[in-house]
């Protein structure tokens, strides 16, 4: 429902007749905020609570900020309902709130004044000497820096900043003692024109928010009005052409920057990995040296603006420099999420091409080997309008993974997605750019590509930082795992298990580890037990169907090193868990030992053959086993003889909770010719009755009444398929992957076969293949 223009007019009249400044800063009233969880709205709520109002608010999401505000007295509603405005004498709404929002509509209908966030803020500011920080990029950092420097300078400023600022404690604060009010001015919705400050500091002006503005001229018009409405001095970045053009001719304009013409001039800038040093001049006079512990040249610019303003307010350069040295970043502004000698993970709010370029440059300057970026475009309108610019913004990233657009409050624009940016990147010639539509998979994508010396950046104004946090949390564990298993063992994050299963299906392993020694394996078991991490052992990945969501916890792959050893001793052959079963047959042949030729037909490793008592040609593994060596669930080694072990058809329970290290098989002396003929027979059987396509071996156990392959054949299900999963035409008990099949498809086909066997023949088929992992 849209408000009729007459009603709009009435609401505006009610606001006109209200002395908003007096109402907000000298009186106390019940006030309701619609969209209170937004970063700007939550700051306003904090101010109103400090001003003594009774504040309620509604939003469709809860955040840490709404939790904190509730502790301060906010009455929070997690849904927008008309009656919430009943008790309020004023309704304040965020620009993201649509006109038909029920609280807004009921507020208006019942004759309450309704104002926008910036109008309320501007009214509060009028009670003090206002300082507005404006510009397309860097205003949160700069307004936080200003509030911090003024506070350290003893001016007790009130302030309002659009993000959580650890060094300030809160994002907004009302101090009754203060003369000044520092506010970040938001240009995105035109409300910058609400402000009538005494001072304003302009950082940069360029094309942005093209969902709201038709072009740069429209943006400049709003800035021009702000300048017009500023009663005192304007501080402006002389190095930004648009800003300089707009401000230079105005009287009381003070410039800052690196240009020779700047009133407050920076020089001799030395960039460090996480900060910079520079000299500051006021015209010809050297004021001194400044040290900044936030990185990048753009922050030196921001600091020069703050220095100019603070000096004009009477704070000494020495005091300013001491405060700047202590200044820490706002959240999500080159925020270090994880740091070790091997890896550095940094989150940044950059979402405009200019910001992305600056952040990547800063990342590059840290001197790490590679920079890997995960990027979440923010708003469909920005993605569409600036697509070309995005294409060239990532030159300093060695690899970019782009996910889908964070819509903010926008509806999708057909044909615009994360892929749009990837297309532009590739068109521009970027060396490695890919699209990952599912946000929750982005950290895996980057994590799997991670190498020692890498810096990973999350970029965007939406929720991409959660992906970096997920990666950081796993990296902490991965680094501990690495320390446990030692230098020679590989530890990988999110290894795709489709690379390691014969079926070529399966999502990633959260932690993939290839220990080389029994000792490392044992340590790993102990660590996982202590840390409550699931541990799954995987050999050559035959007879295994891993679901598309992969395996949570550690997947240990005992292959290589101790696990690949094979030794013949008299009539006994001892093979490590990672040795191919087939190799056992050939080692026996080499020593003129027979009876193991059937093993030629088993595709997996010894560990897997033991775990499922694999069989072929009428024989099964444990018929030839003499003893096995394994690690128990506490990492202790045991050796057990065959007669101590309980074994069933295709099942060996001991290895369901323990881990095979090696097995010793018995063979009998035999003539080489006999051995070769039996090997040939096995090969021939395999060649003629089994598919060569990618498969997991036999899918079902043979029921007593009929071999599963024969049954599937008789049911006429050969060649039936779900997606790219297909029943082999060669053997009915094999499902083959025709290329790119998913576990979901495999499982659906399995279910289809089981249902048909049940309904047509009354036979309950049981899978032989082991099915593990999480759904995608
Ligand atoms: N058959 C059909 N149609 C088919 C497939 C089989 O009529 O599409 C008939 C065959 O002609 C035969 C009977 O079914 O008369 C049994 O088939 P097969 O000889 O191929 O043996 P299987 O029981 O299906 C077993 C193992 C295989 C092993 C072969 C060869 C099981 C579940 N499977 O298959 O092991 O390679 O013997 O010795 O025990 C595996 O475990 O992954 C595996 C492949």
């Amino acid at each position: 429902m849209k408000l009729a223009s007459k009603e709009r007019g009435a609401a505006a009249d009610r606001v006109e007749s209200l002395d908003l400044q007096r109402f907000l800063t000298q009186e106390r009233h019940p006030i309701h905020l619609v969209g209170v969880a937004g970063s700007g709205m939550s700051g306003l709520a904090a101010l109103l609570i400090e001003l003594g109002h009774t504040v309620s608010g509604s939003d469709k999401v809860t955040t840490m900020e709404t939790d904190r505000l509730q502790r301060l007295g906010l009455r929070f509603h997690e849904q927008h309902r008309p009656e919430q405005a009943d008790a309020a004498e004023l309704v304040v709404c965020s620009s993201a709130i649509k006109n038909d929002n029920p609280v807004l509509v009921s507020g208006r209908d019942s004759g309450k004044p309704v104002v926008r966030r910036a109008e309320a803020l501007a009214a509060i500011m009028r009670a003090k000497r206002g300082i507005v920080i404006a510009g397309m990029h860097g205003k949160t950092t700069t307004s936080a820096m200003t509030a911090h420097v003024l506070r350290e300078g003893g001016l007790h400023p009130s302030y309002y900043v659009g993000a959580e600022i650890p060094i300030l404690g809160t994002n907004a604060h009302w101090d009754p003692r203060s003369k000044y009010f520092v506010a970040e001015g938001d240009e995105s919705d035109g409300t910058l024109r609400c402000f009538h400050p005494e001072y304003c500091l302009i950082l940069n002006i360029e094309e942005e928010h093209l969902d709201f503005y038709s072009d740069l001229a429209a943006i400049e018009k709003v800035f021009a009005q702000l300048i017009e409405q500023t009663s005192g001095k304007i501080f402006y970045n002389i190095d930004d052409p648009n800003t300089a053009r707009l401000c230079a001719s105005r009287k009381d304009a003070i410039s800052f920057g690196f240009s020779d013409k700047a009133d407050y001039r920076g020089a001799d800038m030395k960039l460090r990995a996480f900060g910079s040093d520079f000299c500051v001049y006021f015209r010809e006079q050297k004021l001194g040296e400044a040290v900044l512990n936030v990185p990048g040249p753009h922050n030196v610019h921001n600091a020069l603006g703050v220095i100019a303003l603070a000096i004009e307010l009477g704070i000494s350069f020495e005091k300013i420099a001491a405060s700047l040295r202590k200044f820490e970043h706002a959240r999500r502004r080159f925020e270090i999420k994880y740091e070790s000698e091997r890896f550095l993970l940094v989150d940044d709010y950059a979402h405009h091409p200019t910001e992305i370029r600056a952040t990547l440059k800063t990342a590059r300057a840290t001197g790490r080997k590679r920079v890997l970026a995960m990027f979440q475009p923010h708003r469909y309108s920005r993605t569409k309008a600036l697509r070309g610019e995005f294409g060239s913004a990532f030159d300093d990233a060695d690899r970019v993974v782009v996910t889908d657009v964070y819509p903010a409050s926008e509806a999708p624009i057909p044909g615009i997605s994360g892929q749009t940016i990837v297309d532009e990147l590739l068109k521009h010639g970027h060396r490695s750019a890919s699209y990952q539509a599912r946000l929750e998979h982005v950290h895996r994508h980057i994590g799997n590509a991670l190498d020692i010396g890498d810096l990973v950046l999350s970029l965007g104004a939406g929720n991409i930082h959660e992906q970096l946090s997920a990666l950081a949390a796993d990296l902490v564990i991965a680094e501990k795992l690495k320390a446990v298993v030692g230098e020679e063992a590989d530890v990988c994050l999110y290894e795709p298990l489709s690379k390691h299963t014969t079926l070529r299906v399966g999502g990633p392993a959260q932690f993939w580890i290839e220990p080389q020694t029994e000792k490392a394996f044992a340590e790993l078991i102990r660590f996982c037990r202590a840390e409550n991490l699931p541990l799954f052992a995987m050999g050559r990945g035959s007879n295994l169907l891993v679901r598309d969501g992969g395996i949570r916890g550690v997947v240990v792959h005992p292959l290589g090193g101790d696990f690949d050893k094979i030794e013949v001793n008299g009539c006994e052959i001892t093979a490590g868990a990672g040795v191919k079963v087939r190799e056992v047959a050939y080692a026996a042949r080499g020593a003129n030992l027979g009876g193991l030729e059937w093993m030629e037909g088993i595709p997996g490793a010894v560990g897997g053959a033991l775990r499922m008592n694999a069989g072929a040609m009428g024989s099964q593994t444990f018929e030839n086993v003499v003893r096995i060596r394994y690690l128990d669930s506490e990492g202790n080694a045991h050796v057990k003889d065959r007669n101590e072990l309980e074994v069933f058809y295709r099942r060996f329970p001991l290895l369901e909770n323990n881990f095979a290290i090696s097995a010793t098989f018995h063979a009998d002396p035999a003539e080489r010719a006999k051995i070769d003929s039996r090997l040939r027979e096995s090969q021939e059987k395999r060649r003629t009755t089994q598919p060569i396509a990618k498969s997991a071996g036999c899918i079902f156990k043979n029921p007593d009444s009929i071999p599963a392959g024969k049954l599937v054949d008789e049911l006429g299900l050969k060649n039936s398929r779900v997606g790219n999963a297909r029943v082999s035409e060669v053997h009915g008990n094999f499902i083959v992957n025709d290329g790119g099949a998913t576990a979901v498809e495999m499982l659906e086909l399995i279910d289809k076969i089981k249902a048909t066997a049940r309904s047509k023949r009354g036979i309950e088929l049981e899978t032989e293949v082991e099915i593990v992992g999480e759904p995608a």
Side-chain angles (χ1 to χ4, degrees), residues 506-580:
Q510 191 178 5
F511 307 102
W512 170 263
I513 303 182
E514 299 180 8
Q516 300 294 300
T517 62
E518 181 182 318
K519 182 170 172 292
F521 196 167
E523 292 294 344
L524 183 61
I525 293 171
R526 285 183 203 115
F527 177 83
C528 290
R529 192 180 164 88
E531 298 284 320
N532 230 341
L533 266 178
L535 177 64
F536 179 78
M538 177 167 161
R540 296 196 178 258
S542 62
N543 212 63
L544 195 61
L545 173 49
V546 179
R547 291 194 185 88
D548 302 315
I551 298 182
R552 224 170 341 119
V554 171
V555 176
V556 55
H557 189 53
L559 225 67
D562 284 1
F563 308 101
D564 265 0
K565 287 192 185 139
I566 182 160
E567 226 173 72
V568 182
N569 203 340
C571 285
E572 289 187 354
I573 300 160
T574 300
V579 170
K580 282 185 188 155

Side-chain angles (χ1 to χ4, degrees), residues 579-596:
V579 170
K580 282 185 188 155
V581 178
R582 192 165 293 156
E583 279 173 33
V584 179
Y586 287 102
R589 174 188 179 271
N592 290 325
L593 295 170
L596 302 181

Side-chain angles (χ1 to χ4, degrees), residues 136-149:
M136 262 54 195
H137 322 297
K139 54 187 176 296
T140 298
T141 301
T142 311
S143 29
M145 213 184 258
T146 306
H148 166 72
V149 169

Side-chain angles (χ1 to χ4, degrees), residues 543 615-617 649-650 685 690 697-698 700 702 707 709-710 713 718 731-734 768:
N543 212 63
M617 308 293 284
Y649 169 67
R650 299 291 180 269
K685 164 103 185 172
Q690 295 183 3
C698 283
F700 300 105
N702 281 335
K710 193 161 191 254
D713 195 353
K718 277 186 166 176
H731 193 300
N733 201 6
F734 284 70
E768 171 185 294

Side-chain angles (χ1 to χ4, degrees), residues 473-490:
D474 283 352
L475 206 49
V476 171
I477 300 172
E479 296 242 58
K480 284 190 193 164
L481 286 165
K482 179 75 188 161
V484 165
V485 292
E487 262 325 295
E488 71 279 5
D490 262 355

